[in-house]
Amino acid sequence: MSLPEPTDRVPVDVAVGLLFDADGRFLLCSRPQGKVYAGYWEFPGGKLEAGETVEQALRRELIEEIGVTIGPVEAWRVHLMDYPHARVRLHFCKVRTWTGDFEMREGQQMAWSRLPVQVAPVLPGTLPVLEWLAEEV
């Protein structure tokens, strides 16, 4: 008899950016080597630090990870995801403007995508977002 997955783990808050270009494509990035799920594709972002808002964390993370400074942030959806290594509360935000040139500062790859996405594998926490985007079209 197997025990159910523990759900009493405190979730880690993560700010996630859905960057859309003028053609309506969205940016996906691969997870860097050395991280859990390395090589899986996801939307860029990262953990909130103590005292940060979702928007502050997203701005900091996108500068650190991909070298761009984002414009206005539209809070969109929140999704709780249980991974074997962590429970995360994903705060998805839409971003349509930014400045700077994309620079993959952690050795990751990037791809501008449309539905259905052509990159694989996709991080499990990203799959619901792709479904939500499909519902919006």
Side-chain angles (χ1 to χ4, degrees), residues 7-18 42-49 52-55 57-58 61 76-83 85-93 123 125-126 128-129 132:
T7 55
D8 57 350
R9 297 184 292 171
V10 176
V12 174
D13 285 293
V14 176
V16 184
L18 281 73
E42 64 178 353
F43 294 97
K47 297 176 192 166
L48 275 67
E49 292 182 353
E52 274 186 324
T53 65
V54 169
E55 183 173 339
L58 186 59
E61 285 285 346
W76 185 46
R77 296 199 183 203
V78 178
H79 182 69
L80 196 60
M81 186 73 194
D82 277 306
Y83 287 103
H85 69 286
R87 188 173 204 210
V88 292
R89 184 181 300 116
L90 302 164
H91 299 264
F92 295 102
C93 302
L123 193 67
T126 299
V129 182
W132 301 331

Side-chain angles (χ1 to χ4, degrees), residues 8-85:
D8 57 350
R9 297 184 292 171
V10 176
V12 174
D13 285 293
V14 176
V16 184
L18 281 73
L19 278 66
F20 291 93
D21 70 6
D23 295 325
R25 299 177 303 169
F26 49 86
L27 180 70
L28 291 173
C29 296
S30 63
R31 291 188 53 82
Q33 293 304 312
K35 288 196 176 182
V36 178
Y37 287 98
Y40 278 70
W41 291 85
E42 64 178 353
F43 294 97
K47 297 176 192 166
L48 275 67
E49 292 182 353
E52 274 186 324
T53 65
V54 169
E55 183 173 339
Q56 289 168 336
L58 186 59
R59 290 184 184 284
R60 176 185 50 76
E61 285 285 346
L62 295 187
I63 290 169
E64 291 174 3
E65 288 183 10
I66 62 176
V68 296
T69 301
I70 57 175
V73 172
E74 174 193 336
W76 185 46
R77 296 199 183 203
V78 178
H79 182 69
L80 196 60
M81 186 73 194
D82 277 306
Y83 287 103
H85 69 286

Side-chain angles (χ1 to χ4, degrees), residues 123-137:
L123 193 67
T126 299
L127 294 173
V129 182
L130 300 176
E131 292 172 12
W132 301 331
L133 289 172
E135 292 169 3
E136 287 188 351
V137 224

